[in-house]
């Protein structure tokens, strides 16, 4: 195994852990009197301020790209930042942390259906198999049997809706991030997204759609009561670290392997929620979570290859030559020479390809050769 891959694996695992920690800490803040709207706004504003200087440095000479793709940046901030954070924190408030993040991990299934509807390209059989397993796992994670036995109090409907809405916003994040036509550096794009997300959260808070509640009470993190500002600092620092470490890990490992390593976020979220909040899952929910992760793996494996072939990747400088239809060459009629001209040519020793015409030598031109150039 190459050292570069090992370093990338360490960064990717650290990124997954950093993504998993803010959810349980945010839920601890809810217990001390904070609301999802206030936690979301503080998180996005703090992340935007932390990434302000790196974003301005990376955008030197690239403001034209920002102006050209401003609509994409606004969509990235509203969906990928405001949408993901707000809906996820509402789901965490009403559901188990692990259940909320498992609902969010259904984003790859939504991407498959979106691409199928847009491109009309039917997914492979392996992808359909992964979708079926993920659907069964989703039913098990929601513990539908307990809902039927105990009634609607066993599962919060709004929490489930917010968890699935978080998956939709996460799918938008993946689709925008995969757009290689945007030449803005990843850290700068993330910083711009946080800034737009913070600005976009303000109207929801002002209108009361995301109520603002804040206190100065300590947040209970396991056996330790953390001050409110320290809990927010943990959320902000780990959120920024998650994005930065994730970018480094993906560049060292590649996007394909990195997407599989990202699934360890569910495991880390379950461990952190158990450690800080004492939350546990039923056996059927553990099985359902494993089924969702297995389904995502099958969906990834079933993706149809696109782009150049494997041979073209190994030998990028070699391309097939363009086929040109053969055409017969037209022969020019020879000029008749007189007996006197032939005798003069032989006696002087001149080139037979030259003919004398009006007292001077004229070279007969040959038709140019046709050259075939590669595409």
């Amino acid at each position: 195994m190459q050292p570069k891959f090992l370093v990338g694996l360490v960064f990717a695992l650290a990124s997954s852990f950093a993504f998993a920690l803010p959810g349980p800490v945010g839920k601890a803040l809810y217990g001390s009197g904070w609301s999802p709207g206030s936690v979301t706004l503080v998180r996005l504003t703090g992340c935007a301020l932390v990434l302000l200087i790196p974003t301005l440095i990376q955008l030197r000479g690239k403001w034209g790209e920002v102006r050209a793709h401003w609509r994409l940046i606004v969509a990235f901030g509203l969906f990928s930042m405001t949408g993901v954070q707000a809906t996820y924190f509402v789901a965490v408030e009403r559901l188990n942390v692990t259940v909320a993040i498992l609902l969010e991990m259904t984003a790859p299934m939504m991407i498959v259906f979106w691409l199928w509807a847009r491109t009309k390209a039917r997914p492979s059989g392996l992808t359909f198999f992964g979708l079926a397993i993920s659907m069964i796992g989703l039913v098990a994670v929601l513990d539908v049997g307990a809902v039927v036995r105990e009634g609607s109090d066993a599962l919060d409907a709004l929490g489930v809706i917010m968890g699935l809405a978080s998956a939709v916003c996460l799918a938008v994040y993946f689709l925008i991030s995969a757009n290689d036509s945007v030449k803005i550096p990843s850290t700068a794009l993330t910083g711009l997204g946080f800034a737009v997300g913070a600005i976009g959260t303000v109207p929801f808070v002002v209108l009361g759609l995301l109520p603002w509640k804040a206190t100065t009470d300590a947040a209970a993190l396991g056996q330790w009561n953390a001050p409110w500002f320290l809990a927010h600092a943990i959320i902000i620092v780990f959120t920024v670290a998650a994005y930065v470490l994730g970018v480094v890990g993906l560049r060292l490992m590649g996007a394909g392997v990195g997407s599989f390593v990202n699934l360890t976020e569910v495991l880390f979220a379950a461990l952190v929620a158990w450690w800080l909040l004492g939350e546990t899952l039923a056996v059927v929910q553990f099985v359902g979570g494993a089924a969702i992760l297995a389904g995502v793996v099958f969906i990834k494996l079933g993706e149809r290859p696109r782009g150049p072939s494997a041979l073209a990747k190994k030998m990028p400088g070699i391309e097939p030559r363009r086929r040109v239809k053969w055409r017969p060459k037209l022969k020019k009629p020879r000029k008749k020479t007189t007996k006197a001209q032939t005798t003069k040519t032989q006696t002087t020793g001149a080139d037979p390809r030259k003919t004398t015409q009006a007292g001077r030598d004229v070279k007969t031109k040959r038709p140019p050769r046709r050259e075939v150039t590669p595409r």
Side-chain angles (χ1 to χ4, degrees):
M1 194 174 293
Q2 297 179 355
K4 181 180 178 181
F5 178 84
L6 291 176
V7 175
L9 179 62
V10 171
F11 276 101
L13 290 174
S15 174
S16 296
F17 176 77
F19 269 121
L21 189 61
V25 176
K27 191 164 186 176
L29 283 170
Y30 301 154
S32 64
W34 288 75
S35 65
S38 57
V39 173
T40 301
L41 184 57
V42 172
R43 183 187 191 186
L44 293 175
T45 305
C47 292
L49 292 176
V50 170
L51 290 177
L52 177 61
I53 301 301
T55 299
L56 293 177
I57 292 175
Q58 288 196 346
L59 286 180
R60 287 184 301 179
K62 296 184 181 295
W63 289 103
E65 287 287 330
V66 176
R67 288 190 295 269
H69 300 285
W70 69 269
R71 293 183 181 85
L72 192 69
I73 294 173
V74 171
F76 181 75
L78 294 180
F79 284 94
S80 304
M81 302 302 177
T82 302
V84 170
Q85 312 300 332
T87 53
Y88 173 68
F89 278 122
V90 172
V92 164
E93 182 187 26
R94 297 173 174 271
L95 298 173
N96 190 296
V97 173
T98 309
V99 173
I101 201 168
L102 282 171
L103 290 175
E104 190 181 35
M105 284 298 160
T106 58
M109 293 191 294
M110 299 180 180
I111 292 175
V112 170
F113 286 117
W114 164 255
L115 294 177
W116 187 7
R118 185 177 181 182
T119 63
K120 307 299 182 182
R122 182 179 175 274
S124 63
L126 201 59
T127 300
F128 277 117
F129 181 68
L131 290 172
I133 293 179
S134 296
M135 289 296 184
I136 296 173
L138 182 61
V139 173
V141 165
L142 297 179
D143 203 357
V144 177
V147 176
V148 174
R149 292 192 305 270
E150 301 175 16
S152 59
D153 295 336
L155 188 67
D156 191 280
L158 180 59
V160 174
I161 294 174
M162 289 294 102
L164 295 175
S166 177
V168 173
C169 295
L170 185 63
V172 175
Y173 165 75
F174 285 139
L175 291 172
I176 294 179
S177 299
N179 188 352
D180 55 359
S181 64
V182 182
K183 304 304 180 183
I184 302 175
S186 301
T187 303
L189 181 62
T190 303
L192 292 173
F194 277 127
V196 174
I199 297 173
T201 307
V202 173
F204 291 95
V205 173
V206 172
L207 295 175
L209 300 176
L210 290 173
W212 175 273
K213 293 181 182 179
T215 64
T216 57
D217 297 338
L221 298 176
Q223 304 297 325
W224 177 50
N225 291 327
W228 65 273
F229 57 87
L230 183 58
H232 280 291
I234 292 174
I235 292 176
I236 293 170
V237 170
F238 276 87
T239 300
V240 174
Y243 279 100
V244 174
L245 293 174
V247 170
V248 176
L250 287 174
R251 289 181 178 178
L252 292 175
M253 298 172 54
V257 180
S259 62
F260 291 106
V261 178
N262 184 53
L263 299 178
T264 57
E265 181 183 343
V266 179
L267 175 61
F268 287 130
L271 293 175
V272 173
W274 168 77
W275 177 42
L276 297 180
L277 306 175
E279 293 183 349
T280 58
L281 294 177
V283 176
V284 66
Q285 290 178 313
F286 272 114
V287 175
I292 289 178
L293 298 182
V296 172
V297 171
F298 280 113
I299 290 172
K300 288 289 183 181
L301 294 176
E303 289 181 349
R304 299 184 184 276
R306 295 181 181 180
S309 62
L311 180 62
K313 290 181 179 179
K314 292 180 180 179
M315 307 167 68
I318 297 179
E319 296 181 0
R321 296 174 67 88
R322 186 177 58 185
R323 293 184 179 180
V324 180
K325 190 179 289 186
W326 179 82
R327 294 177 183 176
K329 293 183 179 180
L330 299 177
K331 294 183 179 180
K332 290 186 177 181
R334 293 183 179 180
K335 294 183 179 180
K336 295 182 179 181
T337 57
T338 60
K339 202 173 197 178
Q341 290 176 342
T342 306
T343 307
K344 184 179 180 180
T345 303
Q346 291 176 354
T347 55
T348 57
D351 192 346
R353 288 176 295 179
K354 297 180 182 179
T355 57
T356 305
Q357 190 176 16
R360 57 197 177 104
D361 294 339
V362 179
K363 293 183 179 180
T364 57
K365 295 183 179 180
R366 292 183 177 181
R369 294 183 179 179
R370 296 188 59 195
E371 295 184 358
V372 180
T373 58
R375 287 189 228 181

